[in-house]
Amino acid sequence: IETLTKYCNNSYNGYNGFTDNKTTLDLSDDAARANWGGAWRMPTYAELDELRNNCTLTYTAQNGVNGYKLTSKTNGNSIFLPAADSRIGSSVGGVSNNYGYYWSSSLKGSSNSAYGLYFSSGTVYRGGNFDRYFGFTVRAVCP
């Protein structure tokens, strides 16, 4: 039985009736804030969606690492997201250097999952239903 103590919007039996209706991580639980401090934080689902929709996406390699270069259609600035794959417990998934998984701070409304951005060598997706215990990369933002 899963026992959630925070970030639960579904009170079915597996969660012992607990709900708090939180849909965004508190800054005290934000991995970017914990590691970088200051105003750094994890991006929201809407920010990842905006990034995906308002950038030219180019699958490429930098310093021998595969990933996507995202270039803004409005100002020409770019960032590189390495294919950093994922981790579940002690298992690292798809070490082929072709997949990237990035967390957002937005939680999926009715389950113990969160939204993220993920890609393979041919497509960039954004979506949800990633269990929160998965080890994904965090790409910090500072507004």
Side-chain angles (χ1 to χ4, degrees), residues 12-138:
Y12 73 86
N13 291 339
Y15 300 136
N16 298 324
F18 170 78
T19 61
D20 62 8
N21 296 316
K22 290 179 180 257
T23 58
T24 303
L25 288 176
D26 292 335
L27 287 175
S28 60
D29 297 319
D30 186 298
R33 177 65 56 95
N35 286 285
W36 288 47
W40 290 98
R41 61 174 176 76
M42 293 168 61
T44 64
Y45 177 72
E47 289 169 329
L48 289 180
D49 198 33
E50 181 181 350
L51 188 68
R52 181 180 172 268
N53 291 326
N54 296 320
C55 289
T56 301
L57 310 170
T58 307
Y59 193 75
T60 187
Q62 288 190 5
N63 299 322
V65 176
N66 293 334
Y68 269 92
K69 180 179 179 183
L70 289 81
T71 305
S72 170
K73 294 176 183 176
T74 57
N75 63 20
N77 291 343
S78 65
I79 62 170
F80 178 73
L81 298 178
D85 221 303
S86 64
R87 183 180 188 106
I88 301 172
S90 60
S91 298
V92 177
V95 291
S96 63
N97 197 17
N98 288 321
Y99 300 95
Y101 298 87
Y102 289 82
W103 280 127
S104 80
S105 62
S106 302
L107 307 172
K108 188 153 182 172
S110 63
S111 68
N112 66 340
S113 59
Y115 291 104
L117 177 82
Y118 60 107
F119 61 80
S120 64
S121 58
T123 308
V124 176
Y125 309 90
R126 48 100 184 106
N129 219 21
F130 297 117
D131 288 334
R132 295 190 324 233
Y133 62 82
F134 290 171
F136 290 174
T137 302
V138 171

